[in-house]
Amino acid sequence: MLALRLVRGTHPVVQLRRLAVATAAAGVGFLLLCALGYAVGHPGSPTAVLRLLWCVLPLAATVQFAVAVARTDPSTRPRPGLSAIGLGPARLTAIAATSTAVSCTLGSAVALLFYLHLRGDLTGLSFDGAAAELLAADQPVPLAAALTLLAVVPVTASAAAALALRPRSKPAPSETSPASGLPWGIALLAVGLAVETYAARGDGGGVLTGWILTAVGLAMMGPGLTYGCGRLLQTARPGAVRLLAGRVLMNDSRRIGRPLGVVCAVGSGAIAGYVLHGGAVDALAWLGVALVAGCTTATLLTAALESRQTRAHTTEALRRLGAPPTVLRTTALLRAAVLIALFLPLTWAVGALAAVPLRG
């Protein structure tokens, strides 16, 4: 009940972010149900398993977005005095996980209703029965399998939120450079590209495995590359703007570097997919692409918001010291420009390398 009261009494912007999580969960739930419908209509088909495997990508993007929203939720942020009324870090973590589960369960319920509506189980067949064959409208829905698939998103997202926000007895040392993960990321990126090359003429599962390895490699490279951008900005006698921008990038490299790497992986995958298929994909594939791109971009924006919230005291101190607003705006624009100048060519290069074996 406390979690529901906190959810109901928060700011409309926070409610909008939770609604976005519910929308993403509804999209993933609908994709899972469509994969189930295809498997029911085509028993024993290997394509059915492949369709279910491809749902892992939007599922992972949705879980990442849900965790990012839970991290920025003000109702679950530790504040002085809350422990005295029984709201310690462990209780707040449980509330965050519960709020995430509520949002994702709402989305899964909407997905089920929409799926049944398209099948004609609630009313008549929609769109003149155009989706009847894909959804196996002539066969009964396996209810246990459908509910199991719909429970994947709430259970996974709430568990990931609880794991990310769990109280830690000893905080991680801030002086450790995020560049210990850069070599591993480069290695995984190379292995992923090699797997994609090897599996280009084989089944789609090998291509998916290679892309996942590439995405994980880019995500591991993101913090190190962001940290390196911060170090680069502070070289060669930096002024106040470059010094401040570089220091912010170094401090926030872990927070925004990994979402940046994931967005880079999604962009490179989109480039490779466009080279391979062009625009000749079905509506469900476009839905999956929209979910992955939307969730990863929203995660990056949410991480940037979290970074801004953590710098609120520093920004206020700079303003009290007389720093003009133009300096702060120029610093933010410089950070964005440096990150775009690095990650945009990297996205294009990885996408072009991944597209070569697929095109061949």
Side-chain angles (χ1 to χ4, degrees), residues 36 63 107 141 143 146 158-159 170 182 184 191 249 275 302:
L36 175 64
V63 170
V141 178
L143 186 59
S158 58
K170 186 181 294 184
L182 190 57
W184 289 103
V191 171
L249 284 180
V275 171
T302 306

Side-chain angles (χ1 to χ4, degrees), residues 37-52:
Y38 187 87
V40 170
H42 304 79
S45 173
T47 308
V49 179
L50 184 60
R51 284 175 177 264
L52 188 60

Side-chain angles (χ1 to χ4, degrees), residues 100-127:
T100 303
V102 168
S103 300
C104 294
T105 302
L106 175 62
S108 297
V110 171
L112 179 61
L113 291 176
F114 187 65
Y115 178 77
L116 295 177
H117 173 69
L118 289 181
R119 280 176 46 92
D121 295 331
L122 301 181
T123 57
L125 280 174
S126 305
F127 305 111

Side-chain angles (χ1 to χ4, degrees), residues 128-139:
D128 297 327
E133 181 180 358
L134 176 64
L135 305 180
D138 57 337
Q139 301 185 32

Side-chain angles (χ1 to χ4, degrees), residues 8 23 42 71 100 104 114 127 148 228 244 258 267 301 318 342:
R8 186 179 58 184
T23 303
H42 304 79
R71 291 174 63 93
T100 303
C104 294
F114 187 65
F127 305 111
T148 301
L244 182 59
R258 188 166 290 110
L301 295 177
L318 289 173
L342 174 64

Side-chain angles (χ1 to χ4, degrees), residues 6-33:
L6 289 175
V7 167
R8 186 179 58 184
T10 49
H11 195 273
V13 176
V14 180
Q15 299 283 25
L16 185 62
R17 292 201 293 264
R18 290 171 178 162
L19 181 61
V21 172
T23 303
V28 176
F30 182 73
L31 286 177
L32 290 172
L33 291 177

